[in-house]
């Protein structure tokens, strides 16, 4: 199953909080025996604080408490960004709805 998404990203876990970015991309389930997915998406920032994008991709082993995906690039304020996005599942209701907590650490590369 392939899922395409365009979801708001907020600083806290409340759906009605003002978005700081949008997550736009896709994921597909890639295992027959467990819930694992492969993600490729872009965080699009368009606020007074940040402008630009962060590109994130990698395998999401959903049954693990925390998972790391790679930050593979960016534009604008995040030009050529590299780092790690750590996921933690906050809420899951089947395969169609889940809420993730994401902690992003960017590294300085010269």
């Amino acid at each position: 199953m392939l899922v395409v998404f365009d979801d708001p990203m907020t600083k806290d876990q409340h759906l009605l909080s003002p978005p700081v970015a949008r997550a736009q991309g896709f994921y597909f389930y890639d295992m027959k025996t467990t819930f694992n997915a492969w993600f490729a998406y872009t965080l699009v920032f368009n606020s007074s604080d940040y402008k630009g994008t962060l590109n994130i991709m990698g395998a999401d082993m959903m049954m693990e408490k925390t998972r790391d995906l790679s930050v593979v690039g960016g534009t604008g304020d995040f030009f050529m960004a590299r780092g790690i996005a750590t996921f933690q599942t906050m809420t899951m209701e089947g395969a169609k709805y889940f809420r993730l907590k994401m902690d992003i650490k960017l590294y300085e590369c010269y």
Side-chain angles (χ1 to χ4, degrees), residues 7-22 97 99:
D7 296 329
M9 305 295 293
T10 60
K11 286 185 181 181
D12 57 30
Q13 56 185 313
H14 301 290
L15 179 63
L16 299 177
S17 295
V20 295
R22 294 202 65 82
Y97 174 82
R99 184 174 62 230

Side-chain angles (χ1 to χ4, degrees), residues 60-96:
D60 180 6
M61 306 302 190
M62 294 177 160
M63 294 299 129
E64 300 292 324
K65 182 175 179 174
T66 61
R67 293 88 67 194
D68 293 325
L69 277 72
S70 300
V71 176
V72 297
T75 64
D77 291 338
F78 306 103
F79 181 70
M80 293 182 65
R82 298 290 184 267
I84 299 292
T86 302
F87 283 5
Q88 184 175 12
T89 303
M90 303 303 289
T91 301
M92 180 180 264
E93 296 177 18
K96 295 188 179 188

Side-chain angles (χ1 to χ4, degrees), residues 18-86:
V20 295
R22 294 202 65 82
Q24 300 173 332
F26 66 91
Y27 64 92
F28 55 88
Y29 295 106
D30 60 350
M31 296 286 290
K32 291 183 179 182
T33 57
T34 60
F35 281 110
N36 292 324
W38 194 86
F39 275 81
Y41 68 98
T42 300
L43 294 180
V44 180
F45 294 86
N46 190 10
S47 68
S48 58
D49 294 334
Y50 299 105
K51 292 199 183 307
T53 64
L54 279 176
N55 301 307
I56 300 169
M57 64 175 46
D60 180 6
M61 306 302 190
M62 294 177 160
M63 294 299 129
E64 300 292 324
K65 182 175 179 174
T66 61
R67 293 88 67 194
D68 293 325
L69 277 72
S70 300
V71 176
V72 297
T75 64
D77 291 338
F78 306 103
F79 181 70
M80 293 182 65
R82 298 290 184 267
I84 299 292
T86 302

